[in-house]
Amino acid sequence: MSPLGIVGRGIELALLFAWSLFGVYVLLLTVVATRQRAENGVPASRLRRLGVLIPAHDEEIGLGATLGSLALQDYPKDLFEVIVIADNCQDRTAEIAHGLGATVLERTDPTLRGKNHALGWGLTRLARLDYPHDAYVILDADSLATPNLLEVVNRYVEQGWEAIQVHNAVRNPRDSWMTGLRYASFASYSYLRPLGRTRLGSTAKLQGNGMGLTAGLLRRHPWRSLALAEDFDYSAELAANGVRVAFAPEGEVRSEMPLTLDRAHSQLSRWERGRWQVFRRHVLRLLSIAFRERSLWRAEVALDLLVPPLSFLISLPGFFFALEYGLHALNKGDAWSGILASLWGGVEALYVVHLAAALLVVKAPAVVYRSLLCAPLYVAKLLRIYLGLLLGQEEKGWVRTPRAKGKGEQT
């Protein structure tokens, strides 16, 4: 084998080891999450005063539906306040929020734009009032909440949790193959895996939409995250300080996803840049804490930050399986080609089982399964984004993501 071939084979073996480790990890979470277990549905003995924070940038089209879903909450109306943070708005967002009974905090700062800055600004304002609520629920401005959302958050707070993440789902899976793929990804990332992590005694990850945070937690650990993935950043910060996040599958929020790859570009780019920021800031720190304090769950948090997107988890083993199997079948490979093809096929099976279980658990509609046929296009888009990030060609600040109806989103 040539020197170049040896280097290539070494890289392949390193990837095989990493993807095998990730595969065993997600399979473990799958097994734990899919075991039947009765959820704790005992009503809370105390109803707390809750604040619902909605960062909104030019949301006049969809905000009414979001506020309408909150008006249907199975929770006393006098015990929760809806607070819309109208961030750099140039439309009727503030007017609509006022008209539907929400408290409106208007913010204008064209140099510091985006949800991370808006949320930090709003929580700082509330901190000056010594947090007039017992806990806060944070929603995106295009979300629909299930009627039990606030009751679920209140119940978990009573059980002693200070940070809660409900099921964050996709609202429009039938609109296009792109939204169908996002639904599949969310089934894994936003439901099955956090459920498994919580049941293992580790921690879920805050996901920006459908988060519950107690006032006491915010006093001890103020929201200072200015990362593009502010939710992931704050989750990792909490883990470093010994605070776990509960996953509450009983509650759900559903938000719209962009219909096309072009419309999704800025959102995907922001998420991946944010993921890299959190990775650089927290992985080594969490591993150090895990080693020093012999904390297995902190090590698990670091491992979770290392796991690539589901599309890469599935596509890379499929690529190497096809490559090695093809070389072996055509007698163009070496003695290892057949063995490696079998190993890559086994790794691929781990992720297929995981994805199938996730879709079955959330009762995904048939259109989501059909959308999986378009996954290679999605992977190509992610590869293009990563290449742009490496070359410094992607936007470094917050960029509006076009919505299904053509408006911007701040998620």
Side-chain angles (χ1 to χ4, degrees):
M1 183 179 291
S2 67
L4 184 61
I6 294 174
V7 171
R9 184 52 56 81
I11 293 174
E12 181 182 354
L13 290 174
L15 290 172
L16 178 61
F17 174 79
W19 256 247
S20 299
L21 176 64
F22 297 148
V24 171
Y25 170 64
V26 298
L27 184 64
L28 172 63
L29 296 182
T30 303
V31 171
V32 174
T34 53
R35 291 177 60 186
Q36 292 295 323
R37 183 183 300 187
E39 301 296 340
N40 184 0
V42 179
S45 61
R46 174 191 165 199
L47 296 176
R48 291 156 181 82
R49 180 162 174 76
L50 304 177
V52 183
L53 298 181
I54 305 177
H57 172 73
D58 290 349
E59 298 287 356
E60 64 180 8
I61 290 180
L63 183 59
T66 301
L67 297 179
S69 72
L70 292 173
L72 299 176
Q73 289 296 299
D74 298 328
Y75 205 79
K77 299 295 187 293
D78 60 336
L79 287 180
F80 72 94
E81 179 184 14
V82 178
I83 305 169
V84 174
I85 305 172
D87 183 42
N88 289 294
C89 292
Q90 297 179 345
D91 65 356
R92 298 174 58 246
T93 294
E95 179 184 343
I96 290 171
H98 271 303
L100 292 174
T103 299
V104 179
L105 303 179
E106 295 192 60
R107 174 181 181 267
T108 302
D109 189 340
T111 61
L112 298 176
R113 303 168 64 239
K115 180 180 175 181
N116 50 355
H117 295 291
L119 194 53
W121 177 86
L123 287 170
T124 299
R125 291 278 298 270
L126 292 168
R128 291 172 185 163
L129 302 174
D130 194 26
Y131 292 117
H133 309 87
D134 297 308
Y136 294 89
V137 180
I138 299 169
L139 295 183
D140 286 342
D142 66 330
S143 298
L144 298 181
T146 52
N148 66 342
L149 173 66
L150 300 184
E151 182 275 325
V152 167
V153 171
N154 181 69
R155 178 161 24 106
Y156 273 74
V157 172
E158 176 148 309
Q159 293 169 8
W161 293 97
E162 295 185 288
I164 303 103
Q165 174 63 55
V166 305
H167 179 205
N168 182 22
V170 172
R171 177 176 164 186
N172 56 332
R174 295 177 175 85
D175 285 356
S176 71
W177 67 263
M178 182 67 188
T179 60
L181 279 179
R182 300 296 281 279
Y183 185 98
S185 177
F186 274 50
S188 163
Y189 188 79
S190 298
Y191 190 88
L192 198 65
R193 283 162 61 181
L195 181 59
R197 297 180 71 196
T198 298
R199 288 183 173 179
L200 279 176
S202 185
T203 178
K205 183 183 291 183
L206 295 172
Q207 297 174 20
N209 194 20
M211 302 185 297
L213 305 170
T214 67
L217 176 68
L218 290 166
R219 290 188 187 98
R220 297 197 321 275
H221 304 290
W223 185 283
R224 297 194 180 99
S225 176
L226 297 179
L228 289 169
E230 72 288 332
D231 41 7
F232 298 170
D233 187 52
Y234 190 63
S235 294
E237 186 67 31
L238 291 180
N241 286 281
V243 179
R244 291 178 170 89
V245 177
F247 179 62
E250 306 96 319
E252 183 178 278
V253 292
R254 300 183 298 277
S255 58
E256 286 190 350
M257 292 291 123
L259 299 184
T260 67
L261 277 173
D262 287 341
R263 290 194 171 202
H265 183 97
S266 61
Q267 187 184 66
L268 292 172
S269 176
R270 185 171 69 250
W271 285 355
E272 296 312 315
R273 280 180 289 129
R275 184 199 300 270
W276 176 240
Q277 288 175 345
V278 175
F279 172 87
R280 288 187 301 173
R281 179 177 177 184
H282 291 289
V283 168
L284 291 179
R285 178 188 180 198
L286 285 166
L287 288 174
S288 175
I289 294 172
F291 179 78
R292 185 172 64 250
E293 301 184 12
R294 298 182 181 180
S295 175
L296 185 61
W297 75 270
R298 255 78 158 256
E300 188 275 336
V301 174
L303 174 61
D304 185 76
L305 290 174
L306 289 168
V307 176
L310 181 65
S311 53
F312 283 170
L313 289 176
I314 293 178
S315 61
L316 187 136
F319 168 78
F320 277 109
F321 169 77
L323 176 65
E324 295 292 356
Y325 182 81
L327 290 173
H328 178 70
L330 297 173
N331 292 319
K332 299 292 185 180
D334 55 26
W336 283 91
S337 294
I339 297 174
L340 287 172
S342 298
L343 292 175
W344 279 117
V347 172
E348 178 80 338
L350 297 178
Y351 297 116
V352 171
V353 168
H354 167 71
L355 178 58
L359 295 177
L360 289 172
V361 167
V362 300
K363 299 180 174 59
V367 67
V368 173
Y369 292 90
R370 293 195 295 270
S371 71
L372 297 177
L373 297 174
C374 299
L377 298 176
Y378 184 75
V379 173
K381 168 63 76 173
L382 282 181
L383 288 173
R384 177 184 170 188
I385 288 173
Y386 281 130
L387 180 61
L389 292 174
L390 288 174
L391 297 177
Q393 296 175 350
E394 293 290 326
E395 293 282 350
K396 293 182 170 56
W398 174 80
V399 179
R400 172 182 299 179
T401 302
R403 287 233 179 111
K405 295 181 177 62
K407 296 300 289 182
E409 75 181 353
Q410 195 172 35
T411 61

